[in-house]
Amino acid sequence: MHKYTHILPADAGLLTGRTIMAGPCSAESREQVLTTAEQIARRGMADIYRAGVWKPRTHPGCFEGIGVPALEWLAEARIVTGLPVATEVAVPGHVAAAAEVGIDVLWIGARTCANPFAVQELADAIASYCPQTPVLVKNPVSPDLELWIGALQRLQRAGVAHLGAIHRGFSVYKSAPYRNAPIWQLPLELHRRFPSLPLLHDPSHTGGSRDHIAVLSQQALDMGFTGLMIECHTDPSSALSDGGQQLTPDSLFNMLSALKVRSGDVPDRILQGLRGQIDDIDNQLLGLLARRMELSDSIGECKRRADMPVVQTERYSRLLTSLVGRGVELGLDEAFLAGLLERIHAESVRRQLEIVSH
Ligand code: PEP
Ligand code: MN
């Protein structure tokens, strides 16, 4: 994936320079699709109007979308509002039907993205029915960056011209406080590797509650995301899917109006000075880490000579507890520090295992 074209409109919505996609989780009725679209468009909230026509529901028997008739409502919404319209496709038949009515933007959902066979079939269908239609790929449900990139690559190789990604958080058993854990480092790594790939955040499916949408949206903008996809329903309490995470058009307007796009990019002297100090510390950390690994290798040699096992669980556990305790006193986050120390220890163990086996 070397080249992307910035194809997503980013100047009609409230946040200039950022692509805002908004609309209901599901297209439920012609009236709902048209009223919501009209309210979103009237106050210039969004660049793209979204609505799910086929819904991937966890349990059977839930509302699974209206299907093909709802595509006509979306096409009508585009004519009435002038907004491009978007929907989710999960199988080649969806692509054919969406192409037939000229849906402007397609997205691939989190569950579909997790299945390379399904993505390949979709990629081939999109390349054959509508290769110029922009396709946004949601992250897979599991925190697997390569699987996400692999899906984008399948689309690109098949000949889909315009791609983007949507971060919607990752499934974690009993995730809290959000429905899906954001694990921001994954989308940030995607952005680092493919800086020109449009990257949207979906605070609705990440947060799982309308209360989290403002905070997540602002965080995403502050981390350089190029847009947001947000669910919006005229009466969330009667929504047929995802009622608790949808905003009314009024609250969407207020939320978007309160967001800040921070665009300053000239670092002042204080910032430059602080960055210089951080760079120094990072260099010292590297030196210390390298020195620590050398010592650990020597310990590995001793263990090999003494025929000792590599891991002494009791010592490791004692060290971990006391270091985390001291770190917390110094103001470091407990989970962060525990993760860091575990990572360092795992690397020491890996190196020592090699040494004792020689
Ligand atoms: C959606 O956007 O309506 C949707 C089903 O999202 P996800 O694939 O992220 O669960
Ligand atoms: Mn939804």
Side-chain angles (χ1 to χ4, degrees), residues 59-111:
H59 297 286
C62 298
F63 172 67
E64 294 194 320
I66 297 284
V68 172
L71 291 172
E72 298 291 346
W73 307 336
L74 274 177
E76 218 178 318
R78 184 205 15 233
I79 294 169
V80 175
T81 62
L83 285 176
V85 292
T87 201
E88 171 175 349
V89 286
V91 296
H94 296 167
V95 176
E100 177 90 22
V101 299
I103 296 294
D104 304 281
V105 175
L106 302 175
W107 82 83
I108 294 180
R111 293 157 195 78

Side-chain angles (χ1 to χ4, degrees), residues 255-329:
M255 200 281 301
L256 289 171
S257 309
L259 289 178
K260 252 203 172 112
V261 177
R262 298 179 225 272
S263 51
D265 64 354
V266 188
D268 65 13
R269 282 191 35 220
I270 296 179
L271 178 61
Q272 276 169 349
L274 293 169
R275 280 185 173 163
Q277 292 182 56
I278 288 264
D279 292 347
D280 273 356
I281 290 184
D282 284 346
N283 275 322
Q284 289 177 41
L285 282 175
L286 283 187
L288 285 170
L289 270 178
R291 178 86 193 100
R292 192 190 186 288
M293 290 304 160
E294 280 168 20
L295 287 170
S296 165
D297 289 353
S298 306
I299 291 174
E301 288 294 345
C302 295
K303 288 176 178 167
R304 187 173 63 85
R305 280 198 302 274
D307 220 9
M308 280 169 71
V310 161
V311 178
Q312 263 89 51
T313 311
E314 203 192 300
R315 173 180 150 81
Y316 172 51
S317 172
R318 224 178 325 111
L319 268 180
L320 194 62
T321 314
S322 82
L323 285 173
V324 169
R326 273 188 53 208
V328 169
E329 278 171 26

Side-chain angles (χ1 to χ4, degrees), residues 113-259:
C113 176
N115 178 350
F117 291 121
V119 173
Q120 189 61 51
E121 287 194 349
L122 278 174
D124 295 337
I126 297 168
S128 111
Y129 289 108
C130 49
Q132 294 301 318
T133 300
V135 180
L136 305 177
V137 181
K138 288 201 167 195
N139 64 253
V141 281
S142 55
D144 186 337
L145 178 59
E146 295 308 322
L147 195 56
W148 195 3
I149 292 174
L152 288 156
Q153 287 169 333
R154 284 178 196 279
L155 288 153
Q156 195 189 38
R157 284 190 184 197
V160 177
H162 306 298
L163 294 171
I166 303 176
H167 165 242
R168 48 78 81 200
F170 303 90
S171 277
V172 174
Y173 183 57
K174 291 192 175 157
S175 170
Y178 301 128
R179 174 179 175 186
N180 290 294
I183 321 186
W184 293 104
Q185 67 263 37
L186 266 87
L188 292 182
E189 175 60 13
L190 182 73
H191 193 43
R192 189 186 70 78
R193 288 206 226 164
F194 307 103
S196 65
L197 178 73
L199 176 62
L200 276 61
H201 173 61
D202 171 348
S204 309
H205 291 90
T206 304
S209 154
R210 66 181 67 83
D211 299 340
H212 296 312
I213 291 177
V215 167
L216 287 166
S217 299
Q218 187 62 59
Q219 286 181 356
L221 293 180
D222 289 344
M223 283 186 266
F225 281 65
T226 58
L228 299 167
M229 179 200 252
I230 304 175
E231 289 187 337
C232 172
H233 196 285
T234 44
D235 178 16
S237 64
S238 70
L240 298 180
S241 59
D242 286 350
Q245 68 188 37
Q246 305 208 54
L247 294 173
T248 60
D250 273 352
S251 39
L252 177 63
F253 181 80
N254 293 335
M255 200 281 301
L256 289 171
S257 309
L259 289 178

